[in-house]
Each structure stands twice: as C-alpha cells, then as structure tokens.
Amino acid sequence: KQEVTQIPAALSVPEGENLVLNCSFTDSAIYNLQWFRQDPGKGLTSLLLIQSSQREQTSGRLNASLDKSSGRSTLYIAASQPGDSATYLCAVRMRKGGSEKLVFGKGTKLTVNP
Amino acid sequence: EAQVTQNPRYLITVTGKKLTVTCSQNMNHEYMSWYRQDPGLGLRQIYYSMNVEVTDKGDVPEGYKVSRKEKRNFPLILESPSPNQTSLYFCASSSWSGSSYEQYFGPGTRLTVT
C-alpha cells in the first residue's frame, strides 16, 4: 500500500529565506507526483506536476525534484514571502489499467514571518 | 473557463437525513473522483469514476454512494449521514492526452452532520 510522508509537519521561517519541503513515498511505481498548495479552509491549487520520467520541474520561485528510485521529492521555495504561508501537499499518482489513485501526504504547514 | 463546481459549498444537516453533493466539470474529462479531508488524516479518496457508468471504491467508501450517468456530473450521495462524515469534501476531474495530464479540483464542500 502506497504511503506518502511529508517532513516537517510544520515550518516557520523569516521572510526572504530559501526553504525545502520533503516528501517520501513507499512504492516507486508512480505515474507522476504533484505538489499542491492549500490555504486555510480553501481548495487545492496545483503548483507543480512531475511525470515519473522527469527529474524536476520549475515554476517561478518554485522548483520540485523527483528521485523515483529512492522514493523522494523535494519542493524548493526561493526567497520566501509572507504570501507563501499555506499548507503544502505532496501527492503521488498511481495508475493501473484505466484506474487512477492519488495518494496524499498530510502536508507541511508553512509560515513565513515578515 | 475550465472548472469543477461543487454544490452546496457549505451544509449542516442531521444524522440520517439523505443528502447529495453535486459535482460538475466542463472539460469533458473522463476521470472524476471524490476525496474527503480530515485533520490529521489528510485527503483520502472515497470513490472514483473512469467514465460514464464506470465507478469504483477508493480508500474510504463506507457510507457513500456515487453515480456517473453523464460524463460531466459525478454526485456524491450520503444515504444516511452520520457525525463521522463531518468533513471537507473535494471533487476532482482529470484527463490524459498522450504524455500530458490535466487535473482540476473543485472548491470543496464543508459538511457538518449533527
């Protein structure tokens, strides 16, 4: 059974700092991996999606890496801002035949202090 | 505008009173799914549908029903809601096209069962 773990569960940093969020998964047979952002009481915003054949994806100040063989992904946020404060969720997508299963980690709650 | 809509967004109901949460997508996606999000447990898949008239259980299907009579709609039915179904519910739709993947989440439905 696929399990996704995110470390740390919470992180507080001063504005301007570069930071790394970690995600690990137990079954390397993934189709892709996705990072989401969730603001309190809100829906999910997709940040980056990395296909299983890719090593990294970048969008603005965000860079996500994937090492499928070791079951790890990182989300790097450069020059953090108070507006980056949110919960970040990592999810791996398993695909078997025509079915799809998205398994989420429990998230890292990020607070960026001005 | 591509979107997934859910209704209602907020619902307070009593134990045993049947309810339906609707989900609709306008992107002609084949795949739709329902998730619930609970503190400390993260997001868990309830049911998914690979296409019209094709549905299957996710990780936590007990107490829920779904149907997929049309491609755009995937309602979640609680025949006899109980307090342990108090949660934040998300609907999602997705589609593969060659090597590209597209997914959208709805805004969420916050359900309270008293």
Side-chain angles (χ1 to χ4, degrees), chain A residues 1 31-32 34 36 38 41-44 46 49 51 89 93 95-106, chain B residues 31 33 35 37 40-43 45 48 50 58-59 88 90 94 96 98-101 103 105-107 110:
Chain A
K1 180 185 174 186
Y31 182 70
N32 56 39
Q34 198 164 1
F36 295 89
Q38 185 176 31
K42 304 289 187 182
L44 301 173
S46 179
L49 184 148
Q51 298 290 358
L89 298 168
R93 186 165 283 105
R95 200 173 171 202
K96 189 174 183 180
S99 71
E100 167 186 297
K101 183 181 179 73
L102 193 60
V103 181
F104 284 85
K106 294 180 181 178
Chain B
Y31 194 92
S33 53
Y35 299 86
Q37 185 175 33
L41 297 175
L43 277 122
Q45 190 178 52
Y48 62 91
M50 292 173 276
D59 292 324
L88 180 59
F90 289 101
S94 57
W96 288 273
S99 60
S100 69
Y101 178 83
Q103 180 181 54
F105 274 81
R110 186 167 292 281

Side-chain angles (χ1 to χ4, degrees), chain A residues 17-92:
Chain A
E17 193 160 297
N18 303 324
L19 58 101
V20 175
L21 307 181
N22 296 293
C23 172
S24 62
F25 46 95
T26 55
D27 184 349
S28 62
I30 65 170
Y31 182 70
N32 56 39
L33 182 145
Q34 198 164 1
W35 284 92
F36 295 89
R37 169 189 172 134
Q38 185 176 31
D39 293 288
K42 304 289 187 182
L44 301 173
T45 301
S46 179
L47 298 173
L48 291 163
L49 184 148
I50 312 177
Q51 298 290 358
S52 61
S53 58
Q54 297 176 320
R55 297 284 296 190
E56 66 177 346
Q57 283 284 338
T58 298
S59 177
R61 294 182 294 108
L62 305 179
N63 176 277
S65 69
L66 173 64
D67 184 343
K68 201 173 83 159
S69 61
S70 68
R72 296 179 188 278
S73 176
T74 61
L75 178 66
Y76 174 82
I77 302 177
S80 58
Q81 303 169 357
D84 294 330
S85 297
T87 295
Y88 291 80
L89 298 168
C90 168
V92 298

Side-chain angles (χ1 to χ4, degrees), chain B:
Chain B
E1 179 191 355
Q3 62 180 354
V4 177
T5 57
Q6 293 179 228
N7 282 293
R9 294 289 315 280
Y10 303 91
L11 179 61
I12 300 174
T13 189
V14 297
T15 298
K17 186 176 181 182
K18 181 179 178 180
L19 66 93
T20 299
V21 183
T22 64
C23 173
S24 183
Q25 50 100 359
N26 62 1
M27 297 153 286
N28 202 38
H29 284 167
E30 298 85 18
Y31 194 92
M32 298 185 74
S33 53
W34 276 102
Y35 299 86
R36 62 177 288 174
Q37 185 175 33
D38 302 288
L41 297 175
L43 277 122
R44 294 174 293 168
Q45 190 178 52
I46 304 171
Y47 267 96
Y48 62 91
S49 169
M50 292 173 276
N51 216 320
V52 175
E53 302 292 2
V54 182
T55 63
D56 206 349
K57 297 176 181 178
D59 292 324
V60 287
E62 296 78 18
Y64 304 94
K65 284 176 57 177
V66 293
S67 69
R68 188 93 181 271
K69 293 184 170 58
E70 306 165 283
K71 200 170 188 178
R72 65 182 291 124
N73 297 322
F74 190 44
L76 180 69
I77 303 158
L78 286 72
E79 294 271 4
S80 183
S82 62
N84 65 13
Q85 292 179 297
T86 293
S87 187
L88 180 59
Y89 291 87
F90 289 101
C91 178
S93 73
S94 57
S95 180
W96 288 273
S97 177
S99 60
S100 69
Y101 178 83
E102 179 179 77
Q103 180 181 54
Y104 291 85
F105 274 81
T109 294
R110 186 167 292 281
L111 172 66
T112 302
V113 183
T114 61

